[in-house]
Amino acid sequence: MKIVVFASGRGSNFKAIVENIESGALTNVEVSLVLSDKPEANVLTYAAEKGIPHVCVDSKTFATKDDYEKALLEEVHKVPCNLLVLAGYMRILGEDFMTNVGCPVVNIHPSLLPSFPGLHAQQQALDYGVKVSGCTVHFVDLELDHGPIIAQVPVPVMDDDDEDSLSARILVQEHQLYTVCLQLIADKKVSIVDRCVKIKK
């Protein structure tokens, strides 16, 4: 399975994916391209170090979102891509992009969706006072953090947690969960019935 990864920052989930590919924990998955919307993103430096094709499509250099997303599509369509993987990509993809990308799109989010979508999900969880948070891998649709859920992992919320400490514990689980889900997709064990994801044993 060929994947294209979109990331905006440090790319820790991308690093975990690469490390799991290198160790053999993730098989039949190859990264065709890493794309960032930010030229200073550490994920681009890491991709360069690993010899993985990478490109920056700087959103600030486009007059409209439509123009920006057309440029994204051009880059994705230059390489083989069976799955688009969002790994800390901090922009919402529009309808034209989703209609024309030509493959499923997956995302990982630091809460147990549908609770606490959007930015600062960990702080949202703390503000609400939940006792359990976690992370979710889901297919992307046209609504924010809404698409069919592939898998989730719970993470307890401690009384003395702040956003940083809770985020750090959730991130550990993110790194494991994304690889599990990518392997299931690569092995063709994932299907969607209505909006429910079914996983073959």
Side-chain angles (χ1 to χ4, degrees):
M1 181 174 73
K2 308 286 189 179
I3 66 172
V4 170
V5 179
F6 281 15
S8 293
R10 60 189 174 181
S12 69
N13 270 303
F14 170 64
K15 292 178 184 178
I17 290 167
V18 172
E19 289 170 359
N20 285 325
I21 290 172
E22 291 178 341
S23 72
L26 179 57
T27 60
N28 299 318
V29 174
E30 181 180 341
V31 182
S32 296
L33 178 70
V34 177
L35 184 149
S36 182
D37 58 324
K38 298 183 182 299
E40 72 278 9
N42 289 336
V43 68
L44 296 173
T45 303
Y46 181 77
E49 292 170 355
K50 290 294 182 178
I52 297 171
H54 55 282
V55 64
C56 176
V57 181
D58 188 349
S59 58
K60 294 178 181 177
T61 64
F62 294 86
T64 68
K65 181 176 180 178
D66 285 346
D67 289 342
Y68 169 67
E69 292 195 344
K70 285 177 184 176
L72 293 182
L73 285 171
E74 287 177 4
E75 295 296 338
V76 173
H77 291 159
K78 288 178 183 177
V79 298
C81 181
N82 306 114
L83 184 72
L84 177 59
V85 176
L86 306 183
Y89 180 70
M90 304 306 292
R91 300 181 65 87
I92 298 171
L93 296 169
E95 183 173 359
D96 285 346
F97 180 93
M98 293 297 297
T99 300
N100 293 295
V101 67
C103 66
V105 182
V106 293
N107 182 48
I108 191 160
H109 183 75
S111 76
L112 296 177
L113 293 173
S115 297
F116 314 124
L119 297 175
H120 301 293
Q122 305 93 328
Q123 188 61 52
Q124 290 184 58
L126 292 170
D127 292 343
Y128 200 88
V130 298
K131 302 305 180 186
V132 178
S133 186
C135 53
T136 302
V137 176
H138 65 98
F139 288 105
V140 175
D141 62 14
L142 296 180
E143 296 184 44
L144 177 65
D145 296 329
H146 170 270
I149 291 169
I150 303 168
Q152 296 177 300
V153 172
V155 174
V157 179
M158 306 302 181
D159 289 343
D160 59 351
D161 265 333
D162 57 19
E163 185 175 12
D164 288 342
S165 62
L166 180 57
S167 298
R169 291 207 318 285
I170 291 174
L171 192 61
V172 172
Q173 299 303 321
E174 288 183 41
H175 291 168
Q176 298 175 29
L177 184 64
Y178 226 165
T179 284
V180 169
C181 292
L182 293 179
Q183 190 68 70
L184 288 170
I185 296 170
D187 292 343
K188 302 185 186 307
K189 292 185 176 181
V190 173
S191 60
I192 303 174
V193 179
D194 296 324
R195 69 159 281 118
C196 294
V197 172
K198 306 296 183 181
I199 298 174
K200 296 178 185 177
K201 300 300 183 183

